[in-house]
Amino acid sequence: MDPRARRSALLLAAAFAFHEGVAAAQTSCDDEAVRAGNELRRSGNDDAALSEFRRAWEACHTPRARAQMALAEAALGRWIEADEHFGETLASGGDPWIERNRRSLEAVRAQVAEHIGYLEPRGGVPGAEVLIDGRPAGTMPLSGPLRAVAGTASVTVRAPGYLPITRSTVITAGQLVRESFEMVREPEVAPPAPPPAPPPVVRSEPPPPPPAPTRSPPPAPLAAPARPAVEVFRAPEFRAPSDSTGSLQRSLGWVAAGGALLALGGGVWALAARESALQDHNNPALACTVNDQRTVCYEALDTADGLQTLAIAGFVGGGALAVTSLVLFLTAPSSPRPTSSAGLGCGRGPGTVGLTCSLAF
Protein backbone atom coordinates (compact mmCIF):
# COMPACT_ATOMS: atom_id res chain seq x y z
CA MET A 1 0.00 0.00 0.00
CA ASP A 2 1.08 3.62 -0.66
CA PRO A 3 2.73 4.92 2.56
CA ARG A 4 0.70 8.13 2.43
CA ALA A 5 -2.61 6.31 2.11
CA ARG A 6 -1.70 3.83 4.85
CA ARG A 7 -0.62 6.61 7.20
CA SER A 8 -3.80 8.56 6.50
CA ALA A 9 -5.93 5.46 7.00
CA LEU A 10 -4.28 4.70 10.35
CA LEU A 11 -4.71 8.28 11.57
CA LEU A 12 -8.30 8.23 10.42
CA ALA A 13 -8.92 4.97 12.27
CA ALA A 14 -7.65 6.57 15.47
CA ALA A 15 -9.93 9.56 14.90
CA PHE A 16 -12.90 7.26 14.33
CA ALA A 17 -12.12 5.37 17.51
CA PHE A 18 -12.23 8.71 19.35
CA HIS A 19 -15.60 9.54 17.82
CA GLU A 20 -16.87 6.10 18.80
CA GLY A 21 -15.88 6.82 22.40
CA VAL A 22 -17.76 10.13 22.33
CA ALA A 23 -20.87 8.47 20.91
CA ALA A 24 -20.71 5.45 23.22
CA ALA A 25 -24.08 6.35 24.62
CA GLN A 26 -25.63 5.65 21.23
CA THR A 27 -25.45 1.86 21.37
CA SER A 28 -25.55 0.06 18.00
CA CYS A 29 -25.73 -3.62 17.20
CA ASP A 30 -22.33 -3.47 15.48
CA ASP A 31 -20.47 -1.82 18.39
CA GLU A 32 -18.74 -4.98 19.60
CA ALA A 33 -17.47 -6.10 16.18
CA VAL A 34 -16.38 -2.56 15.18
CA ARG A 35 -14.55 -2.07 18.48
CA ALA A 36 -12.74 -5.44 18.04
CA GLY A 37 -11.82 -4.54 14.45
CA ASN A 38 -10.34 -1.17 15.49
CA GLU A 39 -8.22 -2.89 18.15
CA LEU A 40 -6.89 -5.28 15.52
CA ARG A 41 -6.11 -2.40 13.16
CA ARG A 42 -4.18 -0.57 15.88
CA SER A 43 -2.07 -3.73 16.31
CA GLY A 44 -1.43 -3.88 12.54
CA ASN A 45 -3.59 -6.96 11.83
CA ASP A 46 -5.65 -5.50 8.99
CA ASP A 47 -6.80 -8.88 7.61
CA ALA A 48 -8.40 -9.91 10.91
CA ALA A 49 -9.84 -6.42 11.32
CA LEU A 50 -11.52 -6.67 7.90
CA SER A 51 -13.13 -9.95 8.98
CA GLU A 52 -14.56 -8.25 12.10
CA PHE A 53 -15.90 -5.31 10.08
CA ARG A 54 -17.46 -7.69 7.57
CA ARG A 55 -19.13 -9.54 10.45
CA ALA A 56 -20.52 -6.23 11.73
CA TRP A 57 -21.88 -5.40 8.26
CA GLU A 58 -23.56 -8.79 7.82
CA ALA A 59 -25.17 -8.51 11.28
CA CYS A 60 -26.44 -4.91 11.13
CA HIS A 61 -25.86 -3.40 7.63
CA THR A 62 -24.94 -0.03 9.12
CA PRO A 63 -23.08 2.60 7.05
CA ARG A 64 -20.44 2.78 9.80
CA ALA A 65 -19.59 -0.93 9.35
CA ARG A 66 -19.36 -0.43 5.55
CA ALA A 67 -17.03 2.54 6.03
CA GLN A 68 -14.78 0.54 8.37
CA MET A 69 -14.61 -2.24 5.74
CA ALA A 70 -13.51 0.33 3.14
CA LEU A 71 -10.79 1.69 5.45
CA ALA A 72 -9.41 -1.82 6.14
CA GLU A 73 -9.48 -2.67 2.40
CA ALA A 74 -7.58 0.52 1.64
CA ALA A 75 -4.97 -0.42 4.24
CA LEU A 76 -4.61 -3.84 2.51
CA GLY A 77 -4.31 -2.32 -0.98
CA ARG A 78 -7.63 -3.68 -2.21
CA TRP A 79 -8.34 -0.54 -4.18
CA ILE A 80 -11.36 -1.67 -6.23
CA GLU A 81 -13.28 -3.01 -3.21
CA ALA A 82 -12.34 0.02 -1.09
CA ASP A 83 -13.52 2.46 -3.78
CA GLU A 84 -16.81 0.59 -4.20
CA HIS A 85 -17.53 0.49 -0.47
CA PHE A 86 -16.55 4.15 0.00
CA GLY A 87 -19.05 5.04 -2.73
CA GLU A 88 -21.83 3.07 -1.03
CA THR A 89 -21.02 4.64 2.35
CA LEU A 90 -20.89 8.26 1.16
CA ALA A 91 -24.09 7.79 -0.88
CA SER A 92 -26.06 6.89 2.26
CA GLY A 93 -27.44 10.08 3.72
CA GLY A 94 -28.88 10.79 7.12
CA ASP A 95 -26.48 8.62 9.16
CA PRO A 96 -24.99 10.76 11.99
CA TRP A 97 -21.68 8.86 12.08
CA ILE A 98 -21.18 9.24 8.31
CA GLU A 99 -22.07 12.92 8.33
CA ARG A 100 -19.74 13.58 11.26
CA ASN A 101 -16.79 11.89 9.43
CA ARG A 102 -17.71 12.60 5.79
CA ARG A 103 -14.79 14.92 5.11
CA SER A 104 -12.22 12.44 6.38
CA LEU A 105 -13.84 9.58 4.44
CA GLU A 106 -13.79 11.62 1.22
CA ALA A 107 -10.10 12.38 1.75
CA VAL A 108 -9.21 8.68 2.03
CA ARG A 109 -11.35 7.83 -0.99
CA ALA A 110 -9.47 10.45 -3.02
CA GLN A 111 -6.18 8.72 -2.15
CA VAL A 112 -7.69 5.36 -3.12
CA ALA A 113 -8.73 6.84 -6.48
CA GLU A 114 -5.07 7.56 -7.25
CA HIS A 115 -4.60 3.78 -7.69
CA ILE A 116 -7.60 3.18 -9.96
CA GLY A 117 -8.02 3.59 -13.73
CA TYR A 118 -10.88 2.79 -16.08
CA LEU A 119 -11.19 0.25 -18.90
CA GLU A 120 -13.82 0.30 -21.65
CA PRO A 121 -13.85 -2.96 -23.66
CA ARG A 122 -15.51 -2.58 -27.05
CA GLY A 123 -16.82 -5.07 -29.59
CA GLY A 124 -17.35 -8.58 -28.38
CA VAL A 125 -20.74 -10.27 -28.55
CA PRO A 126 -23.78 -9.91 -26.27
CA GLY A 127 -23.33 -12.06 -23.19
CA ALA A 128 -19.53 -12.19 -23.43
CA GLU A 129 -17.83 -12.21 -20.03
CA VAL A 130 -15.01 -9.76 -19.24
CA LEU A 131 -12.30 -10.81 -16.78
CA ILE A 132 -9.57 -8.56 -15.39
CA ASP A 133 -6.58 -10.43 -13.94
CA GLY A 134 -8.69 -13.60 -13.92
CA ARG A 135 -11.60 -12.09 -11.94
CA PRO A 136 -15.07 -11.54 -13.47
CA ALA A 137 -15.60 -7.79 -14.02
CA GLY A 138 -18.74 -7.54 -16.20
CA THR A 139 -20.81 -8.86 -19.10
CA MET A 140 -21.10 -7.36 -22.58
CA PRO A 141 -22.68 -4.97 -23.39
CA LEU A 142 -21.39 -2.95 -20.44
CA SER A 143 -23.33 -0.08 -18.92
CA GLY A 144 -20.12 1.91 -18.36
CA PRO A 145 -16.34 1.65 -18.01
CA LEU A 146 -14.86 -0.91 -15.65
CA ARG A 147 -12.62 0.02 -12.74
CA ALA A 148 -9.16 -1.58 -12.71
CA VAL A 149 -6.03 -1.24 -10.58
CA ALA A 150 -3.42 0.98 -12.20
CA GLY A 151 -0.62 -0.95 -13.88
CA THR A 152 -0.48 -3.80 -16.38
CA ALA A 153 -3.68 -5.84 -16.37
CA SER A 154 -4.59 -9.09 -18.15
CA VAL A 155 -7.97 -8.59 -19.85
CA THR A 156 -9.90 -11.63 -21.15
CA VAL A 157 -13.15 -11.65 -23.13
CA ARG A 158 -14.86 -15.03 -23.60
CA ALA A 159 -18.23 -16.32 -24.76
CA PRO A 160 -19.66 -19.78 -25.52
CA GLY A 161 -18.99 -20.77 -29.12
CA TYR A 162 -16.21 -18.17 -29.59
CA LEU A 163 -12.46 -18.29 -29.18
CA PRO A 164 -11.40 -16.43 -25.99
CA ILE A 165 -9.23 -13.32 -26.35
CA THR A 166 -6.63 -12.37 -23.72
CA ARG A 167 -4.65 -9.15 -23.91
CA SER A 168 -2.25 -7.23 -21.64
CA THR A 169 -3.40 -3.63 -21.15
CA VAL A 170 -1.67 -0.77 -19.34
CA ILE A 171 -4.11 0.97 -16.96
CA THR A 172 -3.28 4.55 -15.97
CA ALA A 173 -4.67 5.95 -12.71
CA GLY A 174 -7.56 8.32 -13.25
CA GLN A 175 -7.63 7.77 -17.03
CA LEU A 176 -9.86 5.81 -19.40
CA VAL A 177 -8.38 3.11 -21.67
CA ARG A 178 -10.41 1.65 -24.56
CA GLU A 179 -9.72 -1.80 -26.01
CA SER A 180 -11.50 -3.44 -28.98
CA PHE A 181 -12.17 -7.15 -29.08
CA GLU A 182 -13.26 -8.84 -32.32
CA MET A 183 -14.41 -12.32 -31.43
CA VAL A 184 -14.13 -15.27 -33.82
CA ARG A 185 -16.34 -18.33 -33.69
CA GLU A 186 -14.81 -21.64 -32.77
CA PRO A 187 -14.23 -23.95 -35.76
CA GLU A 188 -16.93 -26.54 -36.14
CA VAL A 189 -15.79 -30.04 -35.34
CA ALA A 190 -16.98 -32.62 -37.85
CA PRO A 191 -18.92 -35.45 -36.27
CA PRO A 192 -16.97 -38.69 -35.99
CA ALA A 193 -17.32 -41.08 -38.90
CA PRO A 194 -19.57 -44.03 -38.25
CA PRO A 195 -17.78 -47.30 -37.56
CA PRO A 196 -17.25 -49.54 -40.60
CA ALA A 197 -19.90 -52.12 -41.25
CA PRO A 198 -18.97 -55.62 -40.15
CA PRO A 199 -18.02 -58.01 -42.92
CA PRO A 200 -20.83 -60.22 -44.15
CA VAL A 201 -21.08 -63.58 -42.52
CA VAL A 202 -20.56 -66.37 -45.04
CA ARG A 203 -22.40 -69.48 -43.98
CA SER A 204 -20.75 -72.58 -45.32
CA GLU A 205 -22.54 -75.85 -45.82
CA PRO A 206 -22.13 -78.23 -42.89
CA PRO A 207 -19.73 -81.10 -43.58
CA PRO A 208 -21.35 -84.40 -44.49
CA PRO A 209 -21.89 -86.72 -41.58
CA PRO A 210 -19.26 -89.40 -41.11
CA PRO A 211 -20.17 -92.84 -42.41
CA ALA A 212 -21.89 -95.08 -39.95
CA PRO A 213 -19.50 -97.59 -38.41
CA THR A 214 -19.96 -101.12 -39.61
CA ARG A 215 -21.07 -103.48 -36.94
CA SER A 216 -19.16 -106.66 -36.53
CA PRO A 217 -21.20 -109.76 -35.75
CA PRO A 218 -21.47 -110.49 -32.06
CA PRO A 219 -19.11 -113.16 -30.77
CA ALA A 220 -20.49 -116.59 -30.28
CA PRO A 221 -21.67 -117.24 -26.72
CA LEU A 222 -19.29 -119.20 -24.61
CA ALA A 223 -20.46 -122.59 -23.49
CA ALA A 224 -21.51 -122.54 -19.89
CA PRO A 225 -19.32 -124.73 -17.67
CA ALA A 226 -20.78 -127.98 -16.57
CA ARG A 227 -22.77 -127.51 -13.44
CA PRO A 228 -21.71 -129.79 -10.58
CA ALA A 229 -24.07 -132.57 -9.77
CA VAL A 230 -24.54 -131.36 -6.19
CA GLU A 231 -24.36 -127.66 -5.17
CA VAL A 232 -24.34 -127.36 -1.44
CA PHE A 233 -23.96 -123.53 -0.88
CA ARG A 234 -23.24 -120.28 -2.81
CA ALA A 235 -22.93 -116.97 -1.00
CA PRO A 236 -24.82 -114.00 -2.54
CA GLU A 237 -22.86 -111.33 -4.38
CA PHE A 238 -22.36 -107.98 -2.63
CA ARG A 239 -22.43 -104.88 -4.85
CA ALA A 240 -21.45 -101.41 -3.69
CA PRO A 241 -24.08 -98.69 -3.90
CA SER A 242 -24.25 -96.58 -7.06
CA ASP A 243 -21.98 -93.54 -7.22
CA SER A 244 -24.70 -91.25 -8.67
CA THR A 245 -25.71 -89.93 -5.24
CA GLY A 246 -22.12 -89.07 -4.23
CA SER A 247 -21.45 -87.34 -7.57
CA LEU A 248 -24.54 -85.13 -7.23
CA GLN A 249 -23.63 -84.24 -3.64
CA ARG A 250 -20.08 -83.30 -4.63
CA SER A 251 -21.42 -81.13 -7.48
CA LEU A 252 -23.65 -79.30 -5.02
CA GLY A 253 -20.62 -78.81 -2.78
CA TRP A 254 -18.73 -77.11 -5.62
CA VAL A 255 -21.71 -74.87 -6.37
CA ALA A 256 -21.91 -73.85 -2.69
CA ALA A 257 -18.15 -73.14 -2.64
CA GLY A 258 -18.46 -70.90 -5.72
CA GLY A 259 -21.38 -69.03 -4.15
CA ALA A 260 -19.33 -68.52 -0.97
CA LEU A 261 -16.47 -66.97 -2.97
CA LEU A 262 -18.88 -64.62 -4.78
CA ALA A 263 -20.58 -63.56 -1.53
CA LEU A 264 -17.26 -62.94 0.25
CA GLY A 265 -15.94 -60.99 -2.75
CA GLY A 266 -19.09 -58.85 -2.74
CA GLY A 267 -18.61 -58.17 0.99
CA VAL A 268 -14.99 -57.07 0.44
CA TRP A 269 -16.08 -54.79 -2.43
CA ALA A 270 -18.87 -53.26 -0.29
CA LEU A 271 -16.37 -52.53 2.54
CA ALA A 272 -14.00 -50.78 0.11
CA ALA A 273 -16.87 -48.74 -1.40
CA ARG A 274 -18.06 -47.79 2.13
CA GLU A 275 -14.60 -46.47 3.01
CA SER A 276 -14.63 -44.36 -0.17
CA ALA A 277 -18.07 -42.93 0.71
CA LEU A 278 -16.88 -42.07 4.23
CA GLN A 279 -13.81 -40.34 2.78
CA ASP A 280 -16.12 -38.24 0.58
CA HIS A 281 -18.21 -37.32 3.65
CA ASN A 282 -15.06 -36.45 5.68
CA ASN A 283 -13.55 -34.38 2.85
CA PRO A 284 -12.28 -31.11 4.45
CA ALA A 285 -13.47 -29.19 1.40
CA LEU A 286 -17.11 -30.15 2.19
CA ALA A 287 -16.86 -29.52 5.97
CA CYS A 288 -19.67 -31.98 6.68
CA THR A 289 -20.85 -32.53 10.26
CA VAL A 290 -22.73 -35.46 11.81
CA ASN A 291 -26.16 -33.80 11.51
CA ASP A 292 -25.39 -31.86 8.34
CA GLN A 293 -28.56 -31.67 6.19
CA ARG A 294 -26.84 -30.77 2.93
CA THR A 295 -27.56 -33.23 0.17
CA VAL A 296 -23.88 -33.99 -0.56
CA CYS A 297 -23.33 -34.81 3.15
CA TYR A 298 -26.29 -37.00 4.06
CA GLU A 299 -26.23 -38.83 0.71
CA ALA A 300 -22.63 -39.89 1.44
CA LEU A 301 -23.67 -41.20 4.90
CA ASP A 302 -26.70 -43.05 3.48
CA THR A 303 -24.47 -44.67 0.85
CA ALA A 304 -21.96 -45.75 3.51
CA ASP A 305 -24.71 -47.28 5.69
CA GLY A 306 -26.16 -49.22 2.74
CA LEU A 307 -22.73 -50.53 1.76
CA GLN A 308 -22.07 -51.62 5.36
CA THR A 309 -25.31 -53.67 5.38
CA LEU A 310 -24.37 -55.20 2.02
CA ALA A 311 -20.91 -56.12 3.32
CA ILE A 312 -22.37 -57.82 6.42
CA ALA A 313 -24.84 -59.77 4.28
CA GLY A 314 -22.03 -60.83 1.92
CA PHE A 315 -19.82 -62.08 4.76
CA VAL A 316 -22.67 -63.92 6.54
CA GLY A 317 -23.95 -65.49 3.30
CA GLY A 318 -20.40 -66.42 2.22
CA GLY A 319 -19.71 -68.08 5.58
CA ALA A 320 -22.96 -70.06 5.45
CA LEU A 321 -22.28 -71.26 1.91
CA ALA A 322 -18.71 -72.22 2.84
CA VAL A 323 -19.95 -74.33 5.78
CA THR A 324 -22.59 -75.96 3.52
CA SER A 325 -19.93 -76.80 0.92
CA LEU A 326 -17.69 -78.40 3.56
CA VAL A 327 -20.54 -80.52 4.94
CA LEU A 328 -21.48 -81.72 1.43
CA PHE A 329 -17.92 -82.78 0.66
CA LEU A 330 -17.43 -84.59 3.97
CA THR A 331 -20.70 -86.53 3.80
CA ALA A 332 -20.56 -87.52 0.10
CA PRO A 333 -20.33 -91.34 -0.45
CA SER A 334 -16.95 -92.59 -1.66
CA SER A 335 -16.37 -94.30 -5.03
CA PRO A 336 -17.56 -97.95 -5.27
CA ARG A 337 -15.08 -100.74 -4.58
CA PRO A 338 -14.75 -103.82 -6.78
CA THR A 339 -17.49 -106.36 -6.16
CA SER A 340 -16.64 -109.73 -4.73
CA SER A 341 -18.51 -112.98 -4.25
CA ALA A 342 -17.88 -116.25 -2.43
CA GLY A 343 -19.29 -119.74 -3.06
CA LEU A 344 -18.97 -123.40 -2.09
CA GLY A 345 -19.70 -126.19 -4.58
CA CYS A 346 -19.53 -130.00 -4.45
CA GLY A 347 -19.89 -132.71 -7.13
CA ARG A 348 -18.86 -136.17 -8.23
CA GLY A 349 -15.21 -136.67 -8.41
CA PRO A 350 -13.32 -138.42 -11.19
CA GLY A 351 -14.64 -141.85 -11.85
CA THR A 352 -17.85 -143.22 -10.50
CA VAL A 353 -17.13 -143.08 -6.80
CA GLY A 354 -16.15 -140.07 -4.68
CA LEU A 355 -17.17 -136.44 -3.97
CA THR A 356 -15.23 -133.29 -4.81
CA CYS A 357 -15.90 -129.82 -3.14
CA SER A 358 -14.47 -126.40 -3.99
CA LEU A 359 -14.61 -122.94 -2.29
CA ALA A 360 -14.48 -119.86 -4.54
CA PHE A 361 -14.03 -116.08 -3.56
Side-chain angles (χ1 to χ4, degrees):
M1 178 180 178
D2 182 42
R4 294 180 304 163
R6 182 174 181 84
R7 183 168 55 254
S8 176
L10 291 174
L11 292 175
L12 186 59
F16 289 168
F18 171 78
H19 285 299
E20 290 167 7
V22 173
Q26 300 177 355
T27 304
S28 177
C29 70
D30 62 354
D31 283 346
E32 181 182 353
V34 170
R35 188 178 300 109
N38 284 327
E39 291 295 332
L40 290 169
R41 289 207 59 203
R42 291 188 189 95
S43 64
N45 194 348
D46 294 319
D47 287 296
L50 178 58
S51 299
E52 289 293 331
F53 295 144
R54 187 177 290 116
R55 182 168 67 89
W57 167 255
E58 292 173 353
C60 305
H61 288 276
T62 60
R64 179 179 68 163
R66 205 59 156 173
Q68 295 288 4
M69 286 178 59
L71 290 170
E73 288 163 348
L76 292 169
R78 301 181 182 180
W79 310 117
I80 302 298
E81 295 91 336
D83 184 66
E84 178 181 353
H85 293 156
F86 272 128
E88 295 177 5
T89 299
L90 295 173
S92 61
D95 184 83
W97 191 92
I98 297 298
E99 297 303 326
R100 186 167 56 250
N101 299 284
R102 179 176 292 275
R103 183 175 300 177
S104 300
L105 291 172
E106 290 175 345
V108 179
R109 188 187 185 187
Q111 294 181 2
V112 171
E114 296 177 1
H115 299 272
I116 296 176
Y118 300 91
L119 172 67
E120 183 180 350
R122 294 186 171 185
V125 295
E129 184 182 18
V130 181
L131 295 90
I132 300 178
D133 292 330
R135 297 180 179 180
T139 303
M140 305 288 281
L142 298 169
S143 59
L146 301 173
R147 288 175 296 183
V149 177
T152 302
S154 175
V155 183
T156 300
V157 179
R158 64 188 183 186
Y162 291 85
L163 295 174
I165 302 175
T166 300
R167 187 178 302 165
S168 294
T169 304
V170 178
I171 307 296
T172 304
Q175 297 185 12
L176 175 65
V177 178
R178 293 186 175 92
E179 289 285 348
S180 297
F181 296 87
E182 298 296 332
M183 306 198 72
V184 180
R185 285 190 173 275
E186 293 179 345
E188 295 184 359
V189 180
V201 178
V202 179
R203 298 184 179 276
S204 59
E205 294 294 332
T214 57
R215 287 189 168 185
S216 57
L222 299 177
R227 193 167 182 175
V230 179
E231 183 171 336
V232 179
F233 169 77
R234 179 175 294 275
E237 296 183 354
F238 295 94
R239 297 184 178 273
S242 174
D243 190 47
S244 59
T245 303
S247 177
L248 175 60
Q249 190 167 338
R250 282 188 291 272
S251 298
L252 292 176
W254 285 114
V255 171
L261 288 177
L262 288 176
L264 292 175
V268 172
W269 173 85
L271 275 183
R274 175 180 177 272
E275 292 298 323
S276 177
L278 289 178
Q279 290 178 2
D280 292 341
H281 178 268
N282 296 329
N283 189 347
L286 298 179
C288 294
T289 61
V290 176
N291 297 321
D292 202 329
Q293 295 300 318
R294 288 179 295 169
T295 302
V296 70
C297 294
Y298 72 71
E299 281 187 353
L301 280 179
D302 288 348
T303 302
D305 291 341
L307 290 171
Q308 181 178 4
T309 303
L310 182 60
I312 293 173
F315 289 135
V316 172
L321 288 173
V323 172
T324 302
S325 173
L326 181 62
V327 171
L328 288 172
F329 280 123
L330 292 177
T331 59
S334 58
S335 301
R337 298 180 179 177
T339 59
S340 62
S341 60
L344 176 65
C346 298
R348 291 189 303 268
T352 58
V353 181
L355 179 66
T356 301
C357 294
S358 63
L359 180 63
F361 295 92

